[in-house]
Amino acid sequence: MPDAVCLLSTDLVESTLLNQQIGDAAMAELWLQHDQRARLLMRAHHGREIGRSDGFIAIFDSATDAVGFARAYHQALAGLEPPLRARIGLHAGEVTLRTNAPDDLAQGAALVEVDGLAVAVTARVMALGQAGQTLASSNFVGALNGHDVPLCSHGHWRLKGVAEPAELFELADADTPVRTLQDTPKAYRVVRADDGWVTLNQLPNNLPAERDAFVGRAATLRALHAALDDGARLVSVVGLGGVGKTRLTLQYARAWMGAFPGGSWFCDLSAARSLDGIVHALAQALGVAVGAGDAVEALGRTLAARGECLVVLDNFEQVVRHAEPTLGRWLDVAPATRFVVTTREALGLPGEHLLAVTPLAADEAVRLFQLRAAAASGAESQSAAEDEALVQPLVERLDRLPLAIELAAARSRLMPVRQMLQRIGERFNLLVARGGRIDRQATMRAALDWSWDLLSAAERTTLAQLSVFEGGFEIDDAEAVIELGADGTAWIPDLLQALLEKSLLRRLQGGRLGLLRTVQDYASERLDETLRTDAELRHARRYASFGEAQATRERGIELDNLVAACRRCCAPPRAEAATLLAHAWSVLRLTGPFQAGEELAVLVADSLPAGDQGQATVARVRGAAASLLGRADQARGHFQCALELAADGHDSALRVETMALLAGLELSAGRGDVAARLLDEADAVLGVGPDAPARYLLLSTRGKLCVLRSQWAQAERWYSEALDLAERSGHRRWQGGLRGSLGMVASAQGRREEARDQWQASLRFADDIGDRQWAGNTHCNLGLMLHELGEANAARQELLASLEIARELGHRRLEATVQCNLGLIAESVGQWGQACAMLAAAAALAQSLGDARLEASACGYLALALAGDGAHGLAGQALSRAEALVATGDDAVMRALVALQSVLVQAAAGSTDAAAARWADATHLLSSPDVPSAPEVGALILRVRSTLARLEVRS
């Protein structure tokens, strides 16, 4: 009796070519890996292998099992090295299973033979596929019994040996490109017409042939097909000029031609300016004459007579006002006709379905450039290897617009990618087609000229002034900047909406609006110089009016506007420059890079007159940036300058904040007494003043001073008081930082669960506001605690996350700290070489920063790692450096640490007497009331005692 089963057939694509490339031995190993993975998947999805060639033939009792295997099989092949690609066919039908006799099995026959037409049909379905595709027959789709499996129909196909055409489907994924199946001698596409089934080449159409390969747009093509398949009769494909609307619709028309037995017709309306122009263009596309009488009605009847057909109306934007008396009537008269319109703005007709075409995905944009550049230069890769890595940034600067990418790629015969990037500021000279092309797609400027010419005077004035924004804007920001003057009194939101509908504005995250860089550059060229000056001044005043909360909101989303406004206020110099610098720095200190803040501060300093009160703010920013960048001496100089200018200007809040920052700098150098004096002086200046930022800095810096002295209870009191102020002020950055500081205090006192909770809270605050500086610090603290708990791998992951952030920010002190901690982990598990490398790098970086405390710590642990590695001479040198660094200054904790490290170094060298003597010195130092209890000291004491016990030295 025949059995109803689901069949699956696979075939590896270009496996023979791969065999030639890698050789028989490597191919045999690859086949082994392939078979092992495939058979594991077969068992997991309840399949049975029934045949084998350049792939598998298998049967499944369940269609969903077969689908699961197909998806997993594609993924498994992609994971091989080198990767393989396969095509898969799925079918459901009846087969006869027969078991071979023992004698046949002995001769190599399969255990089970499968007979039936269904086997041949499965093979035919598979053979139509391309690499990465899974095709299924309508019988198989029926066997799914309504299970939710995304499918895309490829129409009906006549398969050799099968009486009736079968509809074939593709298992569709959002990122799978739509690829038209090609006819073969054993299978070809057919469409039902009035007189039966006809092949595609018999369907009427005037679609132009494709000149080069179409790239990407899989999801958009599927969306277009889904809209028409779900009953939409008019789909308007909207987007900016050059975004690829025409190519997209033609690709759809060719790929789904079989869905329209009445024909597929392409009508270019770029030359039309009137109702008559639309009529004549469509009549020419349809190949009919326009006679006397109502030509619109006549064309409608022509379309109705053709039944199910597709009409693509390209470039409708300049004749939108004629949409209702033409296209509106045709929709009424020809109910079976589907219309796809490309336009830069919506038509506004009832029943219109809008489909927005956005710039290409990043990988699609790169692929498009590579293909077109190879065609232009006559080689697969004309650029140097270092240029290949620049394709991604180039296409990003081109806004991933297909027209811009193709025009740039055409230049590749003359200039490499790096030169194109250097000349991107001349984009409208760069993006010009060569040769005899003269249409509006011949240059990027011409494509935008077309859109500009369709705007009203008020829309042009608005678009031009919007070019002063950087990185997007809110509606109320635009209202504060745009002045219409003689161009009208229209409501600004109406004009913004009009530009949005004309695809010149785009929606950004969080409801913001923005311009593509290409549009922004074009609009800026259209902005009159007088209007530019006024618009830029209004823009600067708008962002200078922000408070810190507005400037830093949404993870610093306004940074580009703040920086642009600040730069413009430097030439000619304007009073808003210093305020804008302070706002920009409030973001850059969170997000980095710190170097950008310093460079901006230098620009503002050079623009303002000497002695200008804004110079005090500039000096404070320069000091803060230099401090974070590890240039301590420069930072002190800038802070001193800020203090003098603030005193002259009677700006007590700025003086207090600067003194607190200077005190923090002294703490990093281990000079706690100097820091304490500065804080006392700042307290006297502030008095009972209500200035929250200054008060916060004083409280939190006093907490740091207590941490340096291991005065944990006092540190917790200062940090808690600062946290209370932060919560009352609603300042989330302060709250996140103080949670991190309180976590450090809790960890030092052995309250590790509390510390972990505080640090996790700190990370949540940091992620919420985009504070990468606090995130880096917290990952570092978490890593050190996990190391103390013995969780080396988890600790290393936290520290590596911190190291990445530190390097992106330019936070060199954090980088040195993390490298030191990574060295500690390696040293603790006996990875001497790695430990020495990390600790030596940390010491060198700390020395360049002038951070004596951090350098001493790194040198002390480097001495331990070198001693562990048997390099006792070098260990002695590193220890001597650490001892010299802690000999001066008032950091008792560091002196104790180095003393204990010296005991361990002598013990590792086998110098028992010297170790005992060093231990006696260390014991005397530890007994001093000046040496507080510190976790790091306690850990080393335990280590020393354990080491001395092994050496039988009395401790």
Side-chain angles (χ1 to χ4, degrees):
M1 288 287 292
D3 295 308
V5 296
C6 294
L7 292 102
L8 175 145
S9 178
T10 74
D11 175 59
L12 294 183
V13 178
E14 296 183 342
S15 59
T16 303
L17 176 61
L18 180 61
N19 197 154
Q20 293 173 351
Q21 293 172 342
I22 67 174
D24 289 345
M27 195 67 194
E29 175 61 28
L30 189 59
W31 271 119
L32 177 62
Q33 295 180 38
H34 165 272
D35 292 354
Q36 289 174 342
R37 295 192 183 193
R39 285 172 176 141
L40 281 173
L41 291 174
M42 196 83 70
R43 288 194 293 273
H45 294 277
H46 316 293
R48 286 175 286 170
E49 180 183 344
I50 61 171
R52 174 69 197 277
S53 58
D54 207 6
F56 283 99
I57 304 173
I59 58 175
F60 296 81
D61 293 331
S62 160
T64 53
D65 280 339
V67 168
F69 173 85
R71 287 176 170 162
Y73 181 67
H74 283 306
Q75 293 175 356
L77 296 191
L80 293 172
E81 185 56 43
L84 297 173
R85 301 188 74 195
R87 51 185 178 176
I88 298 178
L90 299 168
H91 179 57
E94 292 186 344
V95 297
T96 299
L97 305 177
R98 55 183 173 83
T99 304
N100 282 311
D103 290 346
D104 294 329
L105 294 178
Q107 295 296 316
L111 177 62
V112 176
E113 299 286 356
V114 182
D115 299 318
L117 179 62
V119 179
V121 171
T122 307
R124 301 273 193 275
V125 172
M126 179 271 293
L128 278 167
Q130 300 175 54
Q133 281 186 310
T134 299
L135 301 179
S137 69
S138 53
N139 281 18
F140 182 86
V141 172
L144 286 169
N145 293 322
H147 281 88
D148 186 17
V149 176
L151 298 166
C152 172
S153 174
H154 281 283
H156 287 79
W157 292 75
R158 191 173 288 284
L159 306 177
K160 185 176 181 180
V162 181
E164 286 298 316
E167 187 174 8
L168 298 186
F169 297 83
E170 181 177 349
L171 265 65
D173 294 313
D175 57 350
T176 302
V178 177
R179 291 173 286 181
T180 305
L181 304 184
Q182 302 298 318
D183 290 356
T184 72
K186 295 183 179 180
Y188 54 90
R189 180 84 180 271
V190 294
V191 179
R192 183 178 291 280
D194 292 338
D195 53 351
W197 295 98
V198 298
T199 61
L200 276 189
N201 58 15
Q202 294 174 288
L203 292 179
N205 73 89
N206 73 334
L207 302 179
E210 192 154 31
R211 297 187 180 186
D212 46 30
F214 183 81
V215 176
R217 301 293 196 193
T220 311
L221 282 167
R222 293 193 195 286
L224 177 54
H225 173 66
L228 293 168
D229 196 46
D230 289 344
R233 296 183 52 220
L234 168 61
V235 177
S236 290
V237 178
V238 297
L240 179 69
V243 81
K245 302 183 295 296
T246 302
R247 288 293 301 269
L248 175 83
T249 53
L250 282 172
Q251 178 71 7
Y252 170 79
R254 296 187 193 100
W256 274 275
M257 189 187 302
F260 304 101
S264 299
W265 311 100
F266 177 79
C267 175
D268 182 5
L269 296 174
S270 59
R273 293 295 183 274
S274 63
L275 185 148
D276 287 342
I278 299 172
V279 168
H280 284 286
L282 182 58
Q284 185 176 15
L286 295 174
V288 298
V290 178
D294 189 341
V296 174
E297 180 71 19
L299 282 175
R301 289 196 300 270
T302 298
L303 290 171
R306 297 190 180 187
E308 292 185 65
C309 63
L310 174 70
V311 176
V312 176
L313 299 173
D314 195 36
N315 304 310
F316 211 105
E317 56 271 359
Q318 80 283 356
V319 286
V320 167
R321 64 188 182 281
H322 301 300
E324 182 57 47
T326 54
L327 182 52
R329 290 180 63 187
W330 295 330
L331 285 165
D332 293 336
V333 174
T337 303
R338 298 290 185 269
F339 293 92
V340 174
V341 173
T342 72
T343 176
R344 303 187 189 190
E345 63 176 300
L347 308 185
L349 294 180
E352 180 182 25
H353 182 104
L354 293 178
L355 178 65
V357 181
T358 57
L360 291 167
D363 59 333
E364 295 173 349
V366 169
R367 181 60 180 155
L368 179 63
F369 181 89
Q370 291 171 335
L371 285 175
R372 301 298 189 259
S377 61
E380 180 60 30
S381 177
Q382 183 260 349
S383 298
E386 60 269 22
D387 278 352
E388 302 248 337
L390 299 177
V391 172
Q392 178 74 54
L394 175 64
V395 297
E396 290 295 335
R397 294 293 301 275
L398 296 172
D399 296 316
R400 291 185 261 119
L401 287 172
L403 176 59
I405 292 169
E406 294 193 347
L407 291 171
R411 293 284 191 181
S412 61
R413 193 170 187 178
L414 171 68
M415 62 179 72
V417 176
R418 66 179 182 279
Q419 288 188 13
M420 293 187 206
L421 268 172
Q422 292 166 359
R423 292 175 175 270
I424 199 67
E426 308 169 66
R427 71 174 65 228
F428 295 114
N429 292 326
L430 180 71
L431 304 180
V432 175
R434 311 310 299 164
R437 184 173 179 178
I438 58 173
D439 61 278
R440 60 187 173 81
Q441 300 283 330
T443 71
M444 199 66 225
R445 186 190 301 280
L448 292 170
D449 282 343
W450 175 273
S451 293
W452 179 267
D453 291 341
L454 297 175
L455 299 179
S456 68
E459 289 167 350
R460 292 176 184 175
T461 299
T462 300
L463 179 61
Q465 292 179 77
L466 289 176
S467 67
V468 303
F469 287 100
E470 291 286 343
F473 54 88
E474 305 284 350
I475 293 175
D476 53 354
D477 298 328
E479 289 180 300
V481 170
I482 295 168
E483 288 286 347
L484 296 178
D487 290 324
T489 57
W491 193 38
I492 299 298
D494 278 344
L495 294 170
L496 297 176
Q497 183 166 349
L499 293 172
L500 186 66
E501 291 173 350
K502 290 175 170 62
S503 305
L504 290 165
L505 264 183
R506 58 177 181 150
R507 291 187 181 87
L508 303 177
Q509 186 177 3
R512 288 167 67 83
L513 299 169
L515 303 173
L516 289 174
R517 173 56 64 179
T518 303
V519 177
Q520 183 177 2
D521 287 353
Y522 178 87
S524 181
E525 287 188 2
R526 291 285 191 168
L527 186 58
D528 173 84
E529 283 306 312
T530 301
L531 288 177
R532 182 191 308 279
T533 300
D534 293 343
E536 288 180 351
L537 180 57
R538 290 191 296 271
H539 177 267
R541 288 173 175 168
R542 171 67 177 175
Y543 288 96
S545 71
F546 281 13
E548 183 184 345
Q550 285 176 287
T552 59
R553 69 185 183 87
E554 295 184 45
R555 305 169 64 86
I557 200 169
E558 298 293 1
L559 177 60
D560 289 341
N561 277 309
L562 293 167
V563 171
C566 184
R567 287 183 176 279
R568 291 170 187 152
C569 284
C570 293
R574 291 173 179 156
E576 293 83 5
T579 302
L580 288 163
L581 170 65
H583 291 342
W585 176 245
S586 69
V587 179
L588 286 168
R589 72 185 177 193
L590 309 182
T591 65
F594 300 146
Q595 184 68 41
E598 184 179 58
E599 291 170 356
L600 190 63
V602 170
L603 186 66
V604 176
D606 291 344
S607 73
L608 295 177
D612 186 285
Q613 279 305 298
Q615 290 282 17
T617 297
V618 176
R620 190 193 64 172
V621 171
R622 293 183 72 177
S627 176
L628 288 168
L629 288 166
R631 296 197 284 271
D633 290 341
Q634 289 182 22
R636 285 189 183 88
H638 292 311
F639 285 146
Q640 291 294 349
C641 178
L643 285 176
E644 293 170 11
L645 290 167
D648 291 344
H650 307 290
D651 190 337
S652 59
L654 182 58
R655 287 179 64 196
V656 170
E657 290 177 32
T658 305
M659 282 189 280
L661 290 170
L662 188 54
L665 197 64
E666 297 300 338
L667 288 175
S668 296
R671 292 192 284 269
D673 290 347
V674 177
R677 287 195 297 271
L678 280 166
L679 292 173
D680 290 342
E681 184 181 350
D683 254 333
V685 172
L686 183 62
V688 293
D691 188 86
R695 180 68 63 189
Y696 156 76
L697 275 173
L698 276 180
L699 293 170
S700 59
T701 309
R702 285 201 178 279
K704 291 178 186 176
L705 174 61
C706 292
V707 167
L708 176 71
R709 294 171 170 174
S710 297
Q711 298 168 340
W712 307 114
Q714 295 95 318
E716 190 164 15
R717 178 169 63 84
W718 289 119
Y719 284 142
S720 297
E721 189 175 338
L723 180 60
D724 180 63
L725 172 64
E727 290 175 341
R728 283 187 283 108
S729 304
H731 201 298
R732 298 180 63 76
R733 177 177 179 270
W734 297 350
Q735 292 177 56
L738 290 164
R739 292 284 184 186
S741 299
L742 285 167
M744 185 168 56
V745 172
S747 178
Q749 294 180 295
R751 305 195 309 267
R752 285 172 171 155
E753 284 303 316
E754 179 185 338
R756 192 191 297 261
D757 290 343
Q758 292 281 24
W759 284 331
Q760 293 295 347
S762 179
L763 284 175
R764 287 194 294 272
F765 276 108
D767 181 65
D768 184 42
I769 64 175
D771 190 338
R772 305 200 71 224
Q773 184 185 161
W774 279 125
N777 290 341
T778 306
H779 282 300
C780 182
N781 288 331
L782 273 169
L784 192 57
M785 185 181 77
L786 290 168
H787 161 59
E788 293 167 356
L789 292 171
E791 300 177 30
N793 289 334
R796 190 175 289 108
Q797 292 306 310
E798 292 288 348
L799 290 171
L800 289 174
S802 179
L803 185 62
E804 180 180 1
I805 292 172
R807 287 172 172 168
E808 290 175 356
L809 292 175
H811 197 336
R812 300 179 71 215
R813 186 176 189 281
L814 177 59
E815 181 181 352
T817 303
V818 175
Q819 286 184 316
C820 186
N821 290 342
L822 285 168
L824 290 180
I825 294 175
E827 190 267 341
S828 69
V829 295
Q831 295 173 341
W832 310 119
Q834 183 179 353
C836 290
M838 285 289 185
L839 290 164
L845 184 52
Q847 183 180 28
S848 72
L849 301 177
D851 193 326
R853 190 174 197 271
L854 181 54
E855 186 188 354
S857 179
C859 285
Y861 284 109
L862 175 60
L864 295 184
L866 288 166
D869 203 26
H872 300 298
L874 293 175
Q877 293 176 25
L879 185 63
S880 296
R881 174 63 180 168
E883 290 171 336
L885 287 165
V886 300
T888 59
D890 58 356
D891 196 332
V893 172
M894 285 306 304
R895 286 199 301 273
L897 285 173
V898 173
L900 291 167
Q901 288 162 345
S902 71
V903 178
L904 293 170
V905 169
Q906 294 298 332
S911 303
T912 306
D913 292 342
R918 292 293 180 99
W919 172 239
D921 293 341
T923 303
H924 177 73
L925 178 62
L926 290 167
S927 65
S928 169
D930 294 333
V931 179
S933 171
E936 196 174 0
V937 172
L940 273 181
I941 290 173
L942 292 175
R943 185 171 169 182
V944 166
R945 284 176 172 165
S946 174
T947 301
L948 295 179
R950 286 199 307 272
L951 296 175
E952 297 183 354
V953 175
R954 187 174 177 182
S955 61

